[in-house]
Amino acid sequence: MQKYSVFSLARNALSGHKNWPRAWQSPPLKDRYEVVVIGAGGHGLATAYYLSKEFGITDVAVLERGWLGGGNIARNTVTIRSNYMRDESIPFYVKSVAMYEGLTDELNFNMMHSKRTMVDVVQTWPKLRELRRRQLTMDIYGSTYEHITTEELRRRIPALTGGGPDARLPVICGMVHTDAGVNRHDAVAWGYARAADAMGVEIHQQTPVQSLIRGNDGAIEGVETNRGTVRARKVVVAVSGHTTTLTETAGLKLPLRTMNLTAFVSEPVKPLVDVIVNCPDSGFYFSQSDKGEMVIGGAPDMGQSFRRDIKQHVFEDTVTAMLSLFPSFKKLKLMRQWGGHLDIAHDASPIMDQTEVPGLFVTAGWWGGYKAIPAGGLTLAHLVAKGEPHPLMAPFTLGRFRHLDFVMEAGTTTAR
Amino acid sequence: MMLLTCPFCGKRNESEFIYGGPVGADRPDPNAVSDAEWVEYLTVTPNPLGPVREKWWHARGCGGWFAIWRDTRTHDIVEVPDGTK
Amino acid sequence: MAQSNRRASGGRIDRNQPLQFTFNGKSYEGFKGDTLASALLANGVRVTARSFKYHRPRGIMGHGPEEPATLVELDGEDASGNRPATTVPLRDGLSARSVNCWPSPEFDLGGINQLFERFLPAGFYYKTFKWPNWHLFEPSIRKAAGLAAAPAKPPARGHFEARNAHADVLIAGAGPAGLQAALEAARAGMRVFLADEGAEAGGSLLHRNLTIGGRPAMDWVADAVAELRGMENVIHLQNATVWAYREHNLLIVNQRDPEQDSILERSWRVRAGEVVIATGATERALVFGGNDRPGVMLASSVQAYVNRWGVTPGQRVVLFTNNNSAYAVAADLAVAGVTVEAILDSRNTVPKAALDLVSGITVRSGTVVSDVRGHKRVRAVKAVPANGGAGTWITCDLLACSGGWNPTVHLWSQSRSTLRFDEELAAFCPDQAVQSCRAVGAAAGVLTLDRIVDGGEDLTYRIEPLWRVDVPGQRGKAFLDVQNDVAVSDVHLALREGYDNAEHVKRYTTGGMGIDQGKTGNINIIGTVALQKGVPLQEVGTTTFRSPYTPVSFGAIGGLREETVLFPYRHTPVTQWNKDNGAVMYEAGARWRRPGYFPKPGEDLQEAVNRECRAVREGVGVYDGSPLGTFELKGRDVPQFLDFIYSNIMSSLKPGDGRYGLMLSEDGLILDDGVAFRLDEHRWMISTSTGHADAVNQQMEKLLQTEFPNWQVMITTVTSQWNNATICGPMAREVMHALGTDIDLSPEAFPFMSFRDGTVAGFPARVVRVSFTGELSYEVNVAPRHMAELWGKVMEAGAPFGILPVGSESSHVLRVEKGFLSLGHEVDGTVDAYDLGMGWAMSKKKPDYLGKRSVALRRSGGGTRRELVGILPEDPNRPIPEGAPLTPGGRKEATDGLVTACVWSVVNNRWVGLALLQNGHARQGETAHVRVKDDVIPVTVTKPVFHDPEGKLLRS
């Protein structure tokens, strides 16, 4: 793998950048691998990378329906954080955040990781109570969350001029999560792909998997693709919204359903907000990208959807809530909006496990799964390689549904 | 914002309605099914890449519940609602 | 300052209305009808911008929303950033600045980046800025990016608004095809909504010297507009951009400069039976060395400036084209007295019809431009045979380019309708419609007027694609995306490194990700990728067209709905009294605004709460219980219905009696708690918590309408039909007597958990004996019209007994002292009735009710559970924050519980709390440990009740 650095950049500049090698190869597709990973998104690529890096399994093919890094990794709002509520969740995300911080070095690819802090704008007392609960539990796991006054909040976010004492929802105070950051999303996909490729993992784009193949013993035997049958005794499904579409071909039923989550960006403007702003009571959050765009996320559309666009009334509510707190954004302009479909589990927590089909693994139910990519990939690789769950992912296995022991995070209810 | 046809009020904007989830299996007799069957009834819902039957509540209208078939790929309503189940 | 490039006559400007404006601090003059761009060109301003990455000098290239180069920031009341100068209408006093340069675009310090161009190829930042870490570089990179500053304030005057409209047909674009469609639809009596982004109708006819039926085409436009104006079934808007095409034929239109002064912009949500996309076509740039230099413009834009605005952007022009349309431009330029040095046509054969238009002008076929000389303005262009060979420099001050035309398919594509690559037009054109829509005119790939309007005369369109000039010896950077500084070499690098999908190229190079969304250049990127990979262009495909078509202000999207429109208040008739009496009011869930507490001057929260609690415990208090959800259920099957939705048995209640119960979800989690009263044989009244009233209503209606449609149960929401003052405390009965009532209040005649109808203080009332405080309570329900008066009378009658109003803070204390549940505190989506010590509420007799099976299943898993307990801090004066975790021994390890509430108890004179604790019921009397960061607070585990454990008082 060619090392990326300011020196290699300068050297290549002198030769007109004609000598840069491919970031990943396109080898011929074999008919058999030790492990097949379906989906070259964040979780699929990370799983393949850690399989080879941590567990020495390099006979791995990542099969991608479209283009590498083209799923939700290309569509999220790049926020990384660990301010969760429950013992099951916090250590997992703390690990993931820590892994993100080292990812640029690990992959020799600039992730543009910016640990810039998330600030919650609190507008109701019940929300504050919930956040304080998180704060004290997070502290046990080394994740930070601190209370700040409204004055301090407005000092840190000067554009926050709404929510005054006479407002419909006056700002009460802020909460500061200094572990949070943002990270260039495309770099995650490309960095993992390049590093996995260098260790022998094959990435095959434009290779949709049409169905899963089970053997006579019921175990997974491989997958059927547009380019023929590919055999493997271990198959990982990492396809986000399309999980059930695929697992149904193996006769498997999973407690998942697919929804569309949308985001939008403003025109690029000069630096205005240098933290991630989260307004849970108003139902939106945003951060400013390095290019200057406000990257804004809001409420989901509750219906099932594989359509990647935004519902106007949902969108208008998000924008209106934002303008209530940030009135100067009225003359800021919307530049682009988009959606991504993801699946959500019955209890709204992720699912990482080997299914009842031996050899068939899933990583699914990621709602905000971008922040979980490194830890999700590492722990799933552990499961695939060793056959037993990594302790950090143990709470997220399918077994929890057997006795309805849901992992219920704050702000989520059952999906029904 | 979709245009949904309430069987009582006709075509109305989606913002008048509250989504009620997909129509799953009929509720089994809880005393006659196995644990696994009960869990499946509770947690597994249809998730098709295509038409799904789902419930809507005309909460900001007549208050009626009804079911429609909607294509999850396009939001196309693929059949006129036929009233409540 | 003289408008040196303004023609003596012509153009759709009003020379009698001069307008003064400033650009980068200098004063200029233009005319009404100008855009900022046309006025700058009229004044000979060449360098109008600096580029995003390399800070190369840039000029004006286009004349509409496609403009990639010149973005400006408006000052003063207009303040807004990143506006293409071509879309800013000129007005008197306008003040604008170039973005992204300092101190000026003519002399920009950032221009030093040009020296390092070769070190800043596509994606360079992925390879560098890693050491020591990104944080070192990020602030300066952020400052360098970002284009304009964000508006610092909301608009000082005026407001935005939104409207809904229904149309039989919505037509996007009022060019020839759109007007034609509008006339036909309107004459047929359809409701027509016609919206066009420009200031004037006419589309390309505004700047093309064409004729229709032998008359100037604009006469035809004027007639059409006049006819439409006279029709009541037509809404015709100019300055109105259709920017989003959503599902079910919903389109969003942004109307700027509506007729009323007070309205800044208006957003229209238009539901259309059919949509006609008549958005025209956009001219494409050509790609060659130095194709971004000031003075390189789109040919149609040059034509527009000459004809529409009476401006000659240059005196010696070279045209470079691969299609016929530039020949009409040359002809117009010649008429305007501009010297056309040559037409360079990449095609080997130029159709005769085109040549006939430009007799006397040098046409060099099979010739391309490879390079441009000049830094801040074009001085010469190098004409080179397309198949290689020696070139010649042609001196000129303007290069007008036409790379052909792209149908403007943004809306078409947003509707999810499909595109096909048309070989003849060398462009993506509308293919299969998915929603009820069709494209017409240039948007459909019909690029000549004669095929759009009867009697129109036009030159036939012919093109041979030229995605980039590729001749040996090219020197300058050839830009594919001028706004984001993406050059051919960047795309080649991306491909070389394996980023070879159209989306990869876009993301790696940022080509097409600018504010213009690559309107002039994306197709050239796709063509360049196709050429390099040696595949047909359609195989590369396009990237997705996403809304909005052009940027639209958030204010217009939000309309007038901020604050109380988005989040309306709910309040009761007592709200005004509360405010008058110093209540601290706040959001209490479900949009209710309620009094938190009633501080006296100088009192803090705790002092006020203690005073209110003491009144209830020792004398009497009153609170406004109106927000509690209340439903009346009527019908033969109500008993079995209630038995299904509550976990305990309700059907055995006698008329007049009530019972507390739990409602579970089918998951076996607690959905709500409340009381049910049987009013008579077939009428019941139930109450729910304030916050869950809507959810309970939804669940009940859903069950009845979808699961049990044959059950005879009618539900009426009566939350707002009954208001109540709940009088509570040992002296409550005395206050009731003082109010005057015909109800026998003796405990024997009117026991706990029953209700009586009668009059109280002269008002018809339903009095209910429930208690959320643990004290003797009378919930006096009256009609809302009597509530404020009743409240006043209660305060009056209670005065001798020291009655106090009680806010929700005190209610919280009082219920914690009693160990009564609160949803959101103890009930957090994990506990069941047994955990809460309420196993008695889980009927064993009923074979089935909501949640029964799930609770049994969950508990069959074994293991210990978190159970509700009381906690007493060993230090009675030590408060514990609500939500604090309990951990084994107080160590820093996984929690085994959490504090759900902790209050100062006036009856115990100490802090008391409730907690969910692992295996808590068996741990009473033990010491547990709350961990507040590094502070460990030992607590004694108790029963979750700290006042009147036998419940004698509430029954008294």
Side-chain angles (χ1 to χ4, degrees), chain A residues 234-280:
Chain A
K234 289 178 177 176
V235 172
V236 177
V237 176
V239 298
S240 190
H242 286 95
T243 308
T244 58
T245 313
L246 263 185
T247 55
E248 272 168 16
T249 66
L252 187 65
K253 290 178 177 171
L254 292 172
L256 291 165
R257 47 180 212 168
T258 302
M259 292 165 74
N260 186 42
L261 195 56
T262 57
F264 49 100
V265 294
S266 76
E267 59 184 321
V269 290
K270 291 294 177 197
L272 183 69
V273 180
D274 60 4
V275 296
I276 304 158
V277 178
N278 180 37
C279 304

Side-chain angles (χ1 to χ4, degrees), chain C residues 2 208 239 265 281 311 395 435 562 572 576 598 623 679 759 851:
Chain C
R208 296 172 73 199
N239 289 311
E265 294 175 38
V311 173
T395 302
Q435 300 197 42
E562 292 113 83
T572 77
Q576 193 55 48
F598 295 83
Y623 64 85
L679 303 179
T759 60

Side-chain angles (χ1 to χ4, degrees), chain A residues 4 17 23 68 87 110 114-116 146 168 268-270 290 316-317 330 332-334 337 404, chain C residues 81-82 118 126 128 130 138 145-148 246 269 496-497 504 547 552 561 567 587 858 895 933:
Chain A
Y4 289 163
H17 299 287
L68 177 169
D87 293 277
N110 190 354
S114 170
K115 190 174 175 179
R116 64 172 66 162
E146 294 305 328
R168 172 63 184 89
V269 290
K270 291 294 177 197
D290 287 335
E316 286 183 7
D317 282 356
K330 285 181 184 180
L332 193 66
K333 291 185 282 297
L334 168 74
Q337 51 188 180
L404 305 175
Chain C
N82 299 327
R118 69 156 85 173
Y126 293 113
T128 179
K130 301 197 288 352
E138 190 181 26
L147 301 178
R246 309 268 192 238
R269 309 178 195 98
R496 193 174 303 130
E497 293 193 77
H504 282 158
S547 58
V552 50
R561 299 174 56 248
F567 294 133
E587 182 78 11
R858 189 172 290 118
T895 68
K933 301 222 165 162

Side-chain angles (χ1 to χ4, degrees), chain A residues 81-308:
Chain A
R81 59 182 178 84
S82 59
N83 55 338
Y84 278 71
M85 176 181 269
R86 300 202 184 268
D87 293 277
E88 293 89 339
S89 306
I90 302 167
F92 180 87
Y93 292 101
V94 166
K95 171 76 174 173
S96 210
V97 167
M99 290 176 74
Y100 258 120
E101 288 171 13
L103 213 52
T104 289
D105 287 344
E106 164 102 25
L107 302 178
N108 181 229
F109 203 98
N110 190 354
M111 296 286 143
M112 284 165 251
H113 181 74
S114 170
K115 190 174 175 179
R116 64 172 66 162
T117 297
M118 183 162 91
V119 177
D120 290 337
V121 178
V122 183
Q123 295 173 274
T124 65
W125 297 102
K127 179 55 71 179
L128 178 60
R129 192 173 68 236
E130 179 207 309
L131 298 187
R132 283 188 163 148
R133 174 178 171 187
R134 292 190 195 203
Q135 172 191 30
L136 297 175
T137 311
M138 284 160 57
D139 177 71
I140 291 171
Y141 297 96
S143 181
T144 65
Y145 216 17
E146 294 305 328
H147 177 273
I148 56 172
T149 63
T150 304
E151 293 67 42
E152 173 66 7
L153 179 65
R154 292 190 190 278
R155 194 191 63 73
R156 295 195 66 157
I157 312 171
L160 175 64
T161 58
D166 299 325
R168 172 63 184 89
L169 290 174
V171 174
I172 295 171
C173 67
M175 291 289 283
V176 177
H177 179 41
T178 52
D179 299 320
V182 294
N183 193 93
R184 180 65 62 88
H185 52 347
D186 289 330
V188 177
W190 299 342
Y192 273 122
R194 176 169 166 267
D197 172 88
M199 285 185 292
V201 170
E202 294 179 9
I203 300 162
H204 297 282
Q205 305 183 68
Q206 313 294 338
T207 310
V209 169
Q210 290 140 349
S211 61
L212 305 170
I213 307 169
R214 295 176 73 168
N216 293 333
D217 59 353
I220 200 80
E221 263 193 7
V223 300
E224 208 60 68
T225 78
N226 64 330
R227 296 163 65 189
T229 306
V230 178
R231 304 214 170 263
R233 296 295 295 181
K234 289 178 177 176
V235 172
V236 177
V237 176
V239 298
S240 190
H242 286 95
T243 308
T244 58
T245 313
L246 263 185
T247 55
E248 272 168 16
T249 66
L252 187 65
K253 290 178 177 171
L254 292 172
L256 291 165
R257 47 180 212 168
T258 302
M259 292 165 74
N260 186 42
L261 195 56
T262 57
F264 49 100
V265 294
S266 76
E267 59 184 321
V269 290
K270 291 294 177 197
L272 183 69
V273 180
D274 60 4
V275 296
I276 304 158
V277 178
N278 180 37
C279 304
D281 292 302
S282 291
F284 71 96
Y285 64 93
F286 68 93
S287 63
Q288 188 172 14
S289 74
D290 287 335
K291 211 181 153 194
E293 301 139 336
M294 302 295 167
V295 183
I296 305 159
D301 172 18
M302 295 311 288
Q304 284 161 290
S305 176
F306 289 85
R307 210 187 135 146
R308 283 172 172 155

Side-chain angles (χ1 to χ4, degrees), chain C residues 451-761:
Chain C
R451 289 173 56 206
I452 296 171
V453 181
D454 283 346
E457 290 176 42
D458 203 349
L459 179 62
T460 308
Y461 183 69
R462 289 277 180 274
I463 181 172
E464 287 173 23
L466 176 66
W467 306 123
R468 64 180 174 88
V469 172
D470 187 15
V471 292
Q474 259 179 293
R475 297 191 50 204
K477 259 190 181 318
F479 286 90
L480 292 160
D481 180 338
V482 165
Q483 188 168 105
N484 275 354
D485 273 345
V486 178
V488 171
S489 56
D490 293 313
V491 169
H492 285 175
L493 175 61
L495 296 172
R496 193 174 303 130
E497 293 193 77
Y499 300 90
D500 50 8
N501 181 284
E503 282 283 350
H504 282 158
V505 171
K506 171 178 122 180
R507 288 159 181 271
Y508 194 65
T509 66
T510 72
M513 294 180 80
I515 291 169
D516 61 340
Q517 290 200 34
K519 289 183 172 62
T520 61
N522 268 7
I523 187 81
N524 293 325
I525 295 179
I526 295 164
T528 300
V529 171
L531 284 175
Q532 194 72 2
K533 291 176 75 171
V535 300
L537 189 137
Q538 50 270 43
E539 205 169 286
V540 178
T542 62
T543 54
T544 317
F545 292 88
R546 289 174 173 142
S547 58
Y549 165 62
T550 50
V552 50
S553 62
F554 285 120
I557 296 163
L560 257 182
R561 299 174 56 248
E562 292 113 83
E563 297 279 276
T564 51
V565 181
L566 181 66
F567 294 133
Y569 285 118
R570 284 166 160 169
H571 64 91
T572 77
V574 187
T575 298
Q576 193 55 48
W577 188 95
N578 288 329
K579 286 183 181 168
D580 294 345
N581 285 272
V584 176
M585 306 286 288
Y586 46 64
E587 182 78 11
R591 309 273 172 254
W592 287 97
R593 179 162 266 208
R594 303 188 65 179
Y597 55 104
F598 295 83
K600 285 184 173 172
E603 247 184 0
D604 67 12
L605 183 153
Q606 193 62 53
E607 290 162 345
V609 169
N610 290 352
R611 185 167 48 76
E612 292 170 26
C613 290
R614 202 165 290 119
V616 173
R617 292 286 182 236
E618 295 169 6
V620 65
V622 61
Y623 64 85
D624 176 5
S626 307
L628 274 188
T630 316
F631 300 92
E632 196 166 309
L633 282 68
K634 207 169 174 180
R636 193 188 60 203
D637 296 314
V638 175
Q640 64 168 331
F641 179 63
L642 294 181
D643 277 354
F644 186 68
I645 63 173
Y646 283 100
S647 67
N648 41 348
I649 295 177
M650 293 296 177
S651 54
S652 59
L653 279 171
K654 307 251 175 321
D657 287 350
R659 190 169 287 156
Y660 173 85
L662 292 178
M663 282 188 200
L664 311 184
S665 69
E666 189 73 295
D667 280 338
L669 304 171
I670 293 171
L671 177 71
D672 197 42
D673 66 341
V675 290
F677 278 90
R678 191 168 205 159
L679 303 179
D680 59 36
E681 187 60 24
H682 294 306
R683 282 174 67 220
W684 297 67
M685 190 162 83
I686 68 167
S687 71
T688 71
S689 64
T690 303
H692 287 197
D694 295 339
V696 170
N697 187 27
Q698 179 177 352
Q699 157 129 321
M700 291 193 300
E701 289 287 359
K702 187 178 185 182
L703 284 169
L704 284 172
Q705 293 189 41
T706 69
E707 301 293 329
F708 311 115
N710 299 322
W711 285 12
Q712 290 187 14
V713 179
M714 285 295 297
I715 301 175
T716 309
T717 305
V718 294
T719 304
S720 55
Q721 294 178 34
W722 288 108
N723 284 170
N724 77 68
T726 302
I727 302 162
C728 47
M731 311 296 279
R733 191 169 284 119
E734 283 71 7
V735 174
M736 286 292 286
H737 282 304
L739 279 167
T741 178
D742 57 359
I743 299 168
D744 182 349
L745 296 175
S746 66
E748 300 74 32
F750 185 8
F752 181 59
M753 275 296 168
S754 60
F755 78 91
R756 297 294 179 263
D757 289 338
T759 60
V760 176

Side-chain angles (χ1 to χ4, degrees), chain B residues 1-3 13-14 18-20 27 30-31 33-35 38-39 41-42 55 57 63-65 73-77 84-85, chain C residues 164 246-248 250 269 271 416 434 644 666-667 694 697-698 701-702 705-707 709 847-851 853-854 857 860:
Chain B
M1 182 153 61
M2 298 191 292
L3 195 61
N13 272 340
E14 183 185 349
I18 287 176
Y19 172 68
R27 187 173 187 270
N31 299 311
V33 291
S34 69
D35 286 353
W38 182 252
V39 170
Y41 158 70
L42 270 184
K55 296 176 193 175
W57 186 29
W65 278 90
R73 296 164 300 185
T74 61
H75 291 328
D76 287 347
I77 310 302
T84 52
K85 181 177 140 187
Chain C
N164 298 317
R246 309 268 192 238
E247 73 281 350
H248 295 192
L250 179 71
R269 309 178 195 98
R271 186 77 72 176
R416 300 171 59 82
V434 168
F644 186 68
E666 189 73 295
D667 280 338
D694 295 339
N697 187 27
Q698 179 177 352
E701 289 287 359
K702 187 178 185 182
Q705 293 189 41
T706 69
E707 301 293 329
D848 185 20
Y849 53 85
L850 273 185
R853 176 72 202 257
S854 294
L857 176 59
S860 72

